[in-house]
Structures are given as structure tokens and as C-alpha cells.
Amino acid sequence: KLYPIMPKFANVDALEKHLATRSYITGYALSADDKAELSALSSIPSFSSHPNVFRWASHVVALTGLCVVSGSSAATEAAPSAKKAAEESFDDMFGDDDELNEEGETAAEAAATKARHERMEAARKLKEEKDAKDGKKKAEKAPEKSLLVLDVKPWEADTDLEAVWHKIKEYKQEGLFWGETFKLEPVAYGIKKLVMTCSIVDALVLVDDITENIEALDEWVQSCTVASMNKI
């Protein structure tokens, strides 16, 4: 079944394929492209038919307060309690029967994560095989690393951001190194954001793994975006 044509994708099947290895339409954070694609949907497809589109649409609605109205090609602004209303709406419309694993992922999300890591490993092995075939000896050199600056925004002005910082640093992964300091910067209406850093080994860590694990702390965290990323 084909769904209404959207700005960048011929149909929802194309959008589903695009989101299989991505959290957002472009880049590593919510952008105008996500809002445009969500607004172009006449309805949210079911999890059973398009799990990646369903996950992405749920996430964008929770962050922005935009709600897709069935039978309409436009999105409307939700009430101030958009996060709670959106979650309740999706629960009512599509149910919440999918079991989550220890990482807080559904079976489809876990499969997508596994597929990303398998592709990275396959690409690494192919390069090693090509180097061996060409008679090249793999040079001993330090792995490439990147320094990330992350902006973490809370839901409430009274959120204990230092406690959130410590909670975030509990996440461990090979090739991921958290910075030892953080700072708070004002956003609006008394709300401050947590600015923190981490360094990663590019071949071992995906940026999406970091942002998605931080956003999984949704009791305190509204969003996590990559403010900058530089090679070190």
C-alpha cells in the first residue's frame, strides 16, 4: 500500500528504508526536514507495517508537539503538554504491546542497531581483505578520534542537571570517553541546558548510539543534540 507523496520521498516505503539506519531525516539532531516530512504525512503508518517510520514519527511528535491528523496533509500545534499528550495518543491509537529489551529497544529497533554494527564490521573486513590482496601491510597507527560537544535539554527548569550528567556518564562503551567537566547555559524561561563533551574512536562508536542513549533518559531529558564534532 502506497501512502501520500512527501517532499523528499516517493512514498512511506522509501521513508521507511531511509530511517532504517538513521534517527533523523538529516544529520544527528531534529531539524526542519523532520518537521516537513512529518507534516506531509496524512497519517502515521502502523508499527507492524513501517516500524522505523512509526518510531521516528513518535519521537518527532514528542519533541515538537506536532500531531498528524488522520485524513489531513497538515500537522497542527499541540497543547503545552505535547509530550504527555503525544505519548498517550500513540498508546491509544497503536497500543504498547511490543516488549523492550534491556537497552529499552523494541525488537525492530534492536534489529536495526545490530544491522548497523554488522555493516560496519563487514566494511572493515572488506578493507582488510583488499589490503591483503594488494600486498599492503596494515600500518600501525593511532585510531582516528573525534571530540563531540553535546547540548542536553531538560523538560523542567528545576531539573538537577549535575545529577543528569552523572547519570549519562554511567553509559559505557568501548571507544567512548566522557569529559570530566560540564557547564550550564541558559535556554529560555529559566531553563538551562547541560553542555558536556566526549571523545570517541570513530571506528568503534556511532554518534547515534550516544544521543539515543542520552534521550532514553526521557524522565529528565527532552533532547540531545551534537553542537559540534571535530577530529582530534
Side-chain angles (χ1 to χ4, degrees):
K1 179 182 179 180
L2 297 181
Y3 290 82
I5 293 178
M6 296 170 288
K8 291 187 177 181
F9 299 94
N11 51 52
V12 172
D13 291 335
L15 181 59
E16 172 73 13
K17 181 177 180 181
H18 179 78
L19 292 171
T21 57
R22 298 171 176 83
S23 296
Y24 301 97
I25 298 299
T26 54
Y28 301 108
L30 180 71
S31 69
D33 290 339
D34 295 284
K35 297 178 183 179
E37 296 298 336
L38 181 64
S39 298
L41 288 175
S42 62
S43 63
I44 304 296
S46 68
F47 178 84
S48 60
S49 64
H50 297 83
N52 293 308
V53 175
F54 177 82
R55 166 188 56 77
W56 163 80
S58 302
H59 183 59
V60 174
V61 167
L63 289 179
T64 64
L66 290 172
C67 289
V68 174
V69 180
S70 179
S72 171
S73 61
T76 57
E77 291 293 337
S81 58
K83 176 178 179 288
K84 181 177 179 181
E87 292 173 345
E88 293 176 350
S89 175
F90 279 112
D91 286 345
D92 292 341
M93 292 172 65
F94 303 103
D96 191 24
D97 296 330
D98 296 290
E99 294 184 1
L100 303 181
N101 62 15
E102 294 179 355
E103 303 300 327
E105 298 176 313
T106 64
E109 291 170 337
T113 298
K114 181 181 179 182
R116 289 202 304 270
H117 288 287
E118 288 177 347
R119 284 194 295 272
M120 290 176 63
E121 181 63 16
R124 183 186 66 79
K125 289 182 178 180
L126 283 173
K127 184 178 185 304
E128 290 180 355
E129 291 172 1
K130 183 177 183 301
D131 289 345
K133 184 177 180 180
D134 294 342
K136 297 179 181 178
K137 186 175 181 179
K138 191 174 182 181
E140 292 294 334
K141 63 178 183 178
E144 293 186 354
K145 296 181 179 180
S146 297
L147 176 65
L148 279 67
V149 177
L150 305 171
D151 285 349
V152 182
K153 296 179 181 179
W155 290 108
E156 306 293 343
D158 58 356
T159 300
D160 186 345
L161 292 177
E162 182 175 356
V164 173
W165 178 65
H166 285 292
K167 190 70 175 177
I168 291 172
K169 291 181 64 180
E170 291 179 4
Y171 174 66
K172 306 295 183 183
Q173 182 179 343
E174 182 182 1
L176 170 63
F177 309 94
W178 295 110
E180 296 301 320
T181 60
F182 69 92
K183 62 180 180 178
L184 305 180
E185 294 183 354
V187 178
Y189 305 108
I191 295 178
K192 293 183 179 181
K193 65 181 178 180
L194 171 64
V195 181
M196 60 186 297
T197 62
C198 68
S199 60
I200 62 172
V201 177
D202 296 345
L204 299 176
V205 182
L206 296 173
V207 175
D208 279 355
D209 289 342
I210 299 173
T211 57
E212 288 176 4
N213 273 281
I214 293 176
E215 289 179 342
L217 302 172
D218 55 5
E219 181 178 351
W220 308 285
V221 176
Q222 177 188 145
S223 65
C224 175
T225 58
V226 178
S228 67
M229 180 176 180
N230 299 291
K231 295 292 182 182
I232 56 176

